[in-house]
Amino acid sequence: MRFRDGQWLVAEGVRIEYAEEVYRITPTASGKGISLLCPTRKVMTRGDTLNLSTLSIDIEAAFDGVISVETTHWQGALRRGPDFELYPAGRPEVDAKVSTTEHGTTLSSGSLSATVSGKPHDFAISFHPTNNAKKSLTTLLNRSVGLAYTPAPSTPMQIADMRNFKHYIFTQTTLGVGESVHGLGERFGPFNKVGQKVDLWNADGGTSSDQAYKNVSFWMSSRGYGVFIDTPERVELEIGSERCCRVQTSVEGQRLRWFLIYGPTPRDVLRRYAVLTGLPGKVPAWSFGLWLSTSFTTSYDEKTVNSFLAGMKARDIPVEVFHFDCFWLKAFQWCDFEFDQEMFPDPKGQISRLKADGVVKKVCVWTNPYLGQASPVFAEAAEKGYLLKRKNGDVFQWDLWQTGMGIVDFTNPAACDWFVKCMEKLFDTGVDCIKTDFGERIPSEDVQWFDHSVDPKKMHNHYAFIYNKLVYEALQKRYGANEAVLFARSATAGTQRFPLTWGGDCESTPEAMAESLRGGLSLGLSGFAFWSVDIGGFEGYPPPWIYKRWVAFGLLCSHSRLHGSNSYRVPWTVDDDDTSEEGCSATLRKWTHLKARLMPYLFSQALECVRDGLPLSLRAMCIEFPDDPTAWTLDRQFMLGDSLLVAPVFEEDGTVQFYLPAGKWTNFFTGEVKAGSAWYTETHSFATLPLYVRPNTLLVLGKEGETRTVYDYTGEVEVRSYFAGEGAKAVLVDSEGKTAGVLEVKNGEITGKEALKGGCEIKVVSE
């Protein structure tokens, strides 16, 4: 929200009161920080302390490298939930140190410090590395912390009745020269958020607007720090847009807390952010294989499903997971978890037969947390209080999406139990994983949750967290802690604990493919390890060339799914079953087989991502190359783990421009070596794209011709050396995720080869 009209004027209808000086500094109640009493005018005489507002700013050491800043106007305001689940793995010990000199008061939390100016009648707070006070990461300067009223009261007496006023708290951290800002969830617009207004409010808006399914209140700066805003309510950011040199964060309410997280590298920032909100959950090896969907509004039954899977098998395109989208349910009855008996008279038998025939290993079904009133279940759910209500006691309903749709109230424990029982019935049918769609359009006005203590505005974004957590934990209970997999669309901070997510409803265009890529990059910089996209685009009918280019992109994402809206995504329906080597079937086969060969590398990298809070794919280039300024601008390419650079092709003629950071990079397909730091333009057939191996890499691959997703990742593998110097490593893991050994270059030789089983080949590609 903009509170000013340019630099000099206040916006019409707004009253702003700024923290003008630090009047007093005292210890916080926890003993781990300092509390600043900040009047909204300079206090020159005793009389100046009367008839004015003050802001309390509590600065506390959270843990090494992390400091929290909480600004409060009226302390008596209720602290209504829900709140983010912080420190899910436990809070680290913190050694808070406070020191005072003539220059000011400094709070240190390990490697990060905050220094409050000691000048009389001054307001300035600098955040800097503890060992270098002159290297400011960001600051809060004059007129950077305040409160605002809309409409502007004409007299303080009007504030006695707050019902007609909105009250905001805001802070403005400085943006340095050349600083860029990234993250804030899955955002499809420009990769660098400077110059943008961003509202963190989950919405079902597709991939081609400023709305987002996954709003995450965390952003990363190119200056070596990140900021996590600790509230699930609507947060409005003006990122160099109200003031070009500041990031303004505002919320409606009496309090605003955020954490400043020091790196200095993006890896360090993400690791510390994961301590706050949780590490990504593990995913099983089979989930990396190809997922095939029925698509959305298409007509399908058991015969159609069988034809799809038989067709894929005949074309040597392995399918790991088959997904039944919406119309496994009876029309108007979504989502009551009952197979449409007319189309699927024997779902348990059908699923059993599919698996027994070997055409697919796992089955997924589409669900959502809404319930149409045409379902026989609706009346029961409404009567038992399982559905969200209006303030007058009515069930909240509307006709958006499903006629008379109600929303499951997950603040009601009985509703949660019922929902889990519905999941368990699906598991009994043979369903292995769940697509948790929707969860974004959660009303925040005229609603009453079962838990009366929650704030409806905070519930809007937080709903995605509790919805996905509930289903994920139900899967864990049935199949094991590391076998649970979601395919979720909505998310907020912390939802990375319940993998995985996909990018939502994109069009079948190259522009939409690029939008999706930007969304995946931004989500990866928000702490999410695993991500997928609707290969070919969701909306429309992709022409063959877009389908094939998207296949190459999609099979190099961490997870890969063919899915559409009103048209099928099996390859032979896209190009009239072109059987040539340039056809859709051949292209899909090649890339599916390549991903199978990459599994020893991918699964090992996935476990590192889970351990460190990193994205596997899409991984922004700046994570691996933070000292290269160009890396912070790259939004058409990504890293797949530590060692593989991927640049999707967006042009019909196959041309693509990409950037290689410093070093000697090797073309995965041809072995050609190119030197960075440099831009290149190449032209590619449908069987290739710029896939370059980073120097100093030992790359472990499945054997030539490998088509399986799950196999022995230490037997009959190929180890490739790409300019692998002293200390280059590759961690060997088995298909269960257990470490089997480590290959490492020592004294010019690869050690650890005893962990490899028979039939392995070691090949020096580049030296």
Side-chain angles (χ1 to χ4, degrees):
M1 180 170 179
R2 296 192 177 188
F3 300 109
R4 300 196 66 86
D5 179 7
Q7 186 168 346
W8 310 119
L9 302 178
V10 175
E12 184 177 352
V14 175
R15 175 180 173 84
I16 308 176
E17 299 179 23
Y18 294 101
E20 293 285 0
E21 68 168 271
V22 177
Y23 182 77
R24 181 186 299 142
I25 301 178
T26 56
T28 57
S30 69
K32 296 179 179 178
I34 53 178
S35 182
L36 317 182
L37 179 64
C38 304
T40 53
R41 66 169 176 255
K42 296 186 186 298
V43 177
M44 312 305 288
T45 69
R46 286 188 172 185
D48 291 336
T49 63
L50 304 176
N51 297 311
L52 85 162
S53 58
T54 62
L55 289 159
S56 299
I57 304 176
D58 291 344
I59 307 173
E60 293 200 313
F63 58 95
D64 178 26
V66 180
I67 285 175
S68 70
V69 179
E70 182 171 38
T71 302
T72 306
H73 180 203
W74 289 335
Q75 299 279 4
L78 291 175
R79 291 182 177 267
R80 302 183 69 189
D83 300 305
F84 291 130
E85 293 183 2
L86 300 186
Y87 307 107
R91 181 171 180 173
E93 292 295 323
V94 59
D95 183 17
K97 295 181 180 179
V98 179
S99 59
T100 301
T101 68
E102 61 182 7
H103 300 294
T105 300
T106 297
L107 168 70
S108 297
S109 181
S111 59
L112 177 65
S113 293
T115 297
V116 181
S117 171
K119 294 180 181 178
H121 308 293
D122 190 24
F123 182 90
I125 306 169
S126 173
F127 300 90
H128 57 86
T130 297
N131 61 4
N132 190 353
K134 293 183 179 181
K135 183 177 175 59
S136 175
L137 301 170
T138 189
T139 55
L140 292 168
L141 297 177
N142 66 305
R143 298 200 162 193
S144 64
V145 177
L147 62 99
Y149 294 105
T150 62
S154 57
T155 168
M157 288 293 293
Q158 291 179 289
I159 303 304
D161 182 356
M162 287 292 294
R163 289 175 296 178
N164 296 320
F165 293 91
K166 289 186 176 181
H167 179 286
Y168 296 87
I169 295 287
F170 65 87
T171 61
Q172 294 181 345
T173 52
T174 53
L175 277 171
V177 176
E179 182 174 0
S180 56
V181 169
H182 308 268
L184 293 170
E186 184 187 53
R187 315 211 75 82
F188 305 105
F191 181 50
N192 178 5
K193 306 303 183 285
V194 172
Q196 298 181 47
K197 169 182 169 58
V198 175
D199 287 353
L200 301 180
W201 190 251
N202 283 359
D204 176 8
T207 69
S208 195
S209 75
D210 60 355
Q211 294 183 3
Y213 304 103
K214 307 171 189 66
N215 286 270
V216 179
S217 53
F218 169 75
W219 53 270
M220 183 180 291
S221 164
S222 59
R223 288 177 66 87
Y225 70 93
V227 172
F228 168 55
I229 306 155
D230 183 25
T231 179
E233 66 193 297
R234 181 193 292 270
V235 178
E236 298 180 84
L237 295 113
E238 299 284 351
I239 308 172
S241 47
E242 179 174 299
R243 290 202 64 184
C244 297
C245 56
R246 293 183 179 180
V247 176
Q248 177 176 281
T249 304
S250 64
V251 295
E252 185 181 350
Q254 298 292 337
R255 297 182 184 87
L256 169 60
R257 181 168 79 155
W258 43 262
F259 292 83
L260 193 135
I261 305 169
Y262 179 47
T265 70
R267 281 175 171 259
D268 295 323
V269 173
L270 287 171
R271 174 177 54 81
R272 289 181 166 126
Y273 172 69
V275 172
L276 275 170
T277 62
L279 287 164
K282 292 182 180 179
V283 290
W286 56 260
S287 70
F288 289 83
L290 183 64
W291 297 47
L292 174 63
S293 163
T294 58
S295 293
F296 170 33
T297 60
T298 54
S299 178
Y300 66 94
D301 52 16
E302 181 169 357
K303 181 179 178 181
T304 306
V305 170
N306 290 345
S307 72
F308 284 169
L309 291 170
M312 296 290 271
K313 186 175 183 178
R315 290 163 176 82
D316 192 21
I317 305 170
V319 175
E320 197 75 35
V321 184
F322 189 80
H323 170 70
F324 290 82
D325 214 56
C326 308
F327 280 95
W328 66 274
L329 297 152
K330 197 173 185 65
F332 291 110
Q333 293 185 197
W334 301 348
C335 180
D336 61 5
F337 308 101
E338 298 288 343
F339 275 84
D340 183 346
Q341 289 297 303
E342 293 181 8
M343 303 299 287
F344 304 100
D346 180 23
K348 185 173 183 178
Q350 178 186 358
I351 292 173
S352 177
R353 289 187 291 273
L354 290 175
K355 293 178 180 179
D357 290 344
V359 291
V360 70
K361 294 186 179 68
K362 304 290 182 179
V363 166
C364 174
V365 296
W366 174 93
T367 65
N368 70 77
Y370 309 145
L371 186 56
Q373 69 180 14
S375 168
V377 178
F378 181 90
E380 176 191 3
E383 180 184 357
K384 292 183 176 180
Y386 296 164
L387 303 178
L388 177 63
K389 293 183 178 180
R390 297 187 185 274
K391 289 182 177 179
N392 66 2
D394 292 348
V395 170
F396 177 91
Q397 290 181 268
W398 58 13
D399 293 328
L400 185 63
W401 181 240
Q402 289 290 289
T403 300
M405 186 193 85
I407 298 172
V408 178
D409 185 345
F410 292 125
T411 71
N412 182 347
C416 292
D417 291 343
W418 167 76
F419 201 81
V420 168
K421 286 183 174 62
C422 293
M423 293 290 111
E424 290 172 343
K425 287 173 59 179
L426 292 178
F427 305 156
D428 292 341
T429 308
V431 171
D432 304 281
C433 41
I434 301 291
K435 175 180 172 179
T436 49
D437 205 352
F438 288 86
E440 304 95 355
R441 287 187 178 134
I442 305 302
S444 59
E445 304 291 340
D446 188 31
V447 292
Q448 181 62 67
W449 293 89
F450 177 85
D451 181 352
H452 286 210
S453 70
V454 303
D455 181 344
K457 292 181 180 178
K458 289 185 177 181
M459 279 298 299
H460 175 87
N461 286 346
H462 191 68
Y463 190 88
F465 180 89
I466 58 177
Y467 163 39
N468 285 296
K469 180 182 182 183
L470 186 73
V471 179
Y472 186 74
E473 290 180 347
L475 283 161
Q476 286 184 311
K477 182 179 178 181
R478 171 60 66 97
Y479 295 116
N482 299 327
E483 286 290 311
V485 181
L486 302 180
F487 228 88
R489 192 175 72 175
S490 60
T492 189
T495 317
Q496 70 271 9
R497 292 162 50 190
F498 322 122
L500 58 103
T501 62
W502 98 96
D505 299 346
C506 47
E507 296 176 322
S508 299
T509 65
E511 293 79 13
M513 185 163 65
E515 292 165 3
S516 297
L517 195 159
R518 293 193 297 269
L521 291 174
S522 292
L523 193 67
L525 284 171
S526 304
F528 285 69
F530 307 110
W531 181 86
S532 186
V533 66
D534 289 344
I535 294 175
F538 176 72
E539 298 285 358
Y541 297 80
W545 79 266
I546 289 178
Y547 179 90
K548 288 181 281 190
R549 296 301 181 191
W550 211 315
V551 160
F553 167 40
L555 266 297
L556 292 176
C557 296
S558 75
H559 290 76
S560 309
R561 182 181 70 159
L562 291 163
H563 182 61
S565 177
N566 54 0
S567 58
Y568 299 125
R569 290 293 177 267
V570 286
W572 57 89
T573 66
V574 177
D575 64 358
D576 295 326
D577 200 13
D578 180 351
T579 58
S580 73
E581 285 302 301
E582 288 289 293
C584 289
S585 294
T587 300
L588 180 60
R589 178 172 58 251
K590 291 170 185 175
W591 288 101
T592 305
H593 289 189
L594 174 60
K595 190 168 191 182
R597 288 200 70 199
L598 288 172
M599 277 303 298
Y601 166 76
L602 288 176
F603 203 47
S604 176
Q605 288 286 301
L607 296 173
E608 289 188 22
C609 292
V610 168
R611 181 195 65 201
D612 296 334
L614 294 171
L616 173 60
S617 169
L618 307 182
R619 183 180 297 183
M621 299 293 297
C622 56
I623 293 178
E624 294 299 318
F625 306 96
D627 296 328
D628 185 337
T630 301
W632 292 91
T633 70
L634 300 172
D635 64 0
R636 297 192 302 276
Q637 61 186 73
F638 57 92
M639 295 295 291
L640 173 54
D642 295 344
S643 300
L644 296 179
L645 182 153
V646 182
V649 179
F650 300 100
E651 298 292 339
E652 187 171 3
D653 65 1
T655 58
V656 54
Q657 189 177 49
F658 60 97
Y659 175 81
L660 296 177
K664 294 181 178 179
W665 293 76
T666 306
N667 186 307
F668 177 86
F669 298 105
T670 67
E672 179 186 2
V673 174
K674 289 187 174 178
S677 308
W679 285 91
Y680 292 94
T681 300
E682 295 179 351
T683 301
H684 284 263
S685 69
F686 294 116
T688 62
L689 53 59
L691 178 61
Y692 278 82
V693 185
R694 189 177 185 173
N696 205 37
T697 292
L698 290 176
L699 184 64
V700 183
L701 301 170
K703 66 179 182 293
E704 189 74 41
E706 181 62 74
T707 63
R708 298 168 296 171
T709 303
V710 182
Y711 53 92
D712 185 350
Y713 301 146
T714 63
E716 297 186 33
V717 296
E718 178 183 328
V719 181
R720 294 185 181 181
S721 174
Y722 294 89
F723 296 107
E726 196 71 13
K729 291 183 180 180
V731 178
L732 300 170
V733 299
D734 64 20
S735 59
E736 297 297 317
K738 298 176 183 176
T739 300
V742 178
L743 302 178
E744 183 175 1
V745 176
K746 292 182 179 179
N747 300 319
E749 298 291 331
I750 298 177
T751 64
K753 291 182 285 188
E754 63 275 6
L756 296 171
K757 299 174 184 175
C760 296
E761 179 184 3
I762 295 179
K763 182 185 299 184
V764 177
V765 179
S766 312
E767 63 178 346

